[in-house]
Amino acid sequence: MNPKIIAFDADDTLFVNEPYFQEVEQEFCALMSDYLSSQGLSQELFKIEIANLDLYGYGIKGYILSMVEAAMTISNNTISIEIIEKIIQLGKELLQKPIELLDGVEDTLKALHGKYKLIVATKGDLKDQQSKLHRSGLGHYFHHIEVMADKQELNYTKLLNRLEIQPNEFFMIGNSLKSDVLPVLAIGGFAVHIPFHTTWEHEKIAHKVEHPNFKTLEHITDVLGLLLEDRR
């Protein structure tokens, strides 16, 4: 292993994200409690959200539109304008959530900065992700920030072509096996999984990952033992 680029996912790898979505979903279910159970509402919202991914992509703005559509569908278009206004307000509040860095993130970036080229490789809404990274105060650690439409093999291959490196020179760190690990391994890169305590249903996979280029670590600072050992 001799990576030239160390890439970090952003949401739930560098800073908190999914718990904020779950809080908003709970508030959505409370607003719509006259129509279905919380479980039923969550299932309907998730179904509409996934159906809309090809149109809206990943991110908060698409999630807001999916909540509005779900409210209209579940209520058979009888939902009040007041509820729609409250859903839009929930989305605006989600866009302005404070940035909460995960434990050990800045220590890890400080230790690696100057020894490797560090980048962010994340997906979602461009403006929202750029805003979060700016507000996080971490931007100066990164050589490059890539906000991807999706995280599949083709997306990573295009990224590596822009960076002018080979797959075996790329090392990805993230909390999602589906997005941060499997496609990177498939193109010949290295990947580390740092589990977060909660994961969006769409990012879950059922099978165990076994690969010589892959490790699961408990804490982000554990990557220093892998990456700095080779530099001594």
Side-chain angles (χ1 to χ4, degrees), residues 97-116:
K97 286 288 187 180
I99 303 301
E100 182 182 348
L101 295 184
L102 295 179
D103 184 49
V105 163
E106 189 150 21
D107 290 340
T108 300
L109 295 176
K110 283 180 181 177
L112 295 175
H113 189 244
K115 299 178 178 67
Y116 293 95

Side-chain angles (χ1 to χ4, degrees), residues 151-160 179-180 183-184 187:
K151 281 184 165 180
Q152 299 187 32
E153 292 175 35
L154 180 60
N155 304 97
Y156 281 106
T157 298
K158 289 180 177 179
L159 171 61
L160 267 57
S179 293
D180 301 319
V184 172
I187 65 171

Side-chain angles (χ1 to χ4, degrees), residues 18 64 151 172 182 224 232:
E18 179 60 20
I64 297 169
K151 281 184 165 180
M172 181 72 199
L182 293 180
L224 299 178
R232 291 177 185 151

Side-chain angles (χ1 to χ4, degrees), residues 179-194:
S179 293
D180 301 319
V181 171
L182 293 180
V184 172
L185 297 178
I187 65 171
F190 293 84
V192 161
H193 180 224
I194 312 287

Side-chain angles (χ1 to χ4, degrees), residues 126-143:
L126 177 61
K127 184 174 177 60
D128 179 41
Q129 292 291 20
Q130 287 179 334
S131 171
K132 285 193 290 188
L133 282 163
H134 173 71
R135 288 182 287 134
S136 75
L138 300 176
H140 64 284
Y141 290 110
F142 297 108
H143 169 76

Side-chain angles (χ1 to χ4, degrees), residues 1 19 43 48 57 69 71-72 81 135 153 163 188 210 217:
M1 186 177 70
Q43 288 173 345
I48 289 171
E69 182 180 342
M72 294 171 64
I81 190 64
R135 288 182 287 134
E153 292 175 35
L163 295 171
E210 294 185 359
L217 300 175

Side-chain angles (χ1 to χ4, degrees), residues 2 8 17 27 33 37 41 52 90 95 121 129 131 136 148 174 178-179 231:
N2 187 29
F8 292 82
N17 180 65
E27 295 186 60
S33 60
S37 67
L41 290 164
N52 285 335
L90 287 176
L95 284 164
Q129 292 291 20
S131 171
S136 75
M148 305 155 83
K178 182 178 180 180
S179 293
R231 292 287 170 122

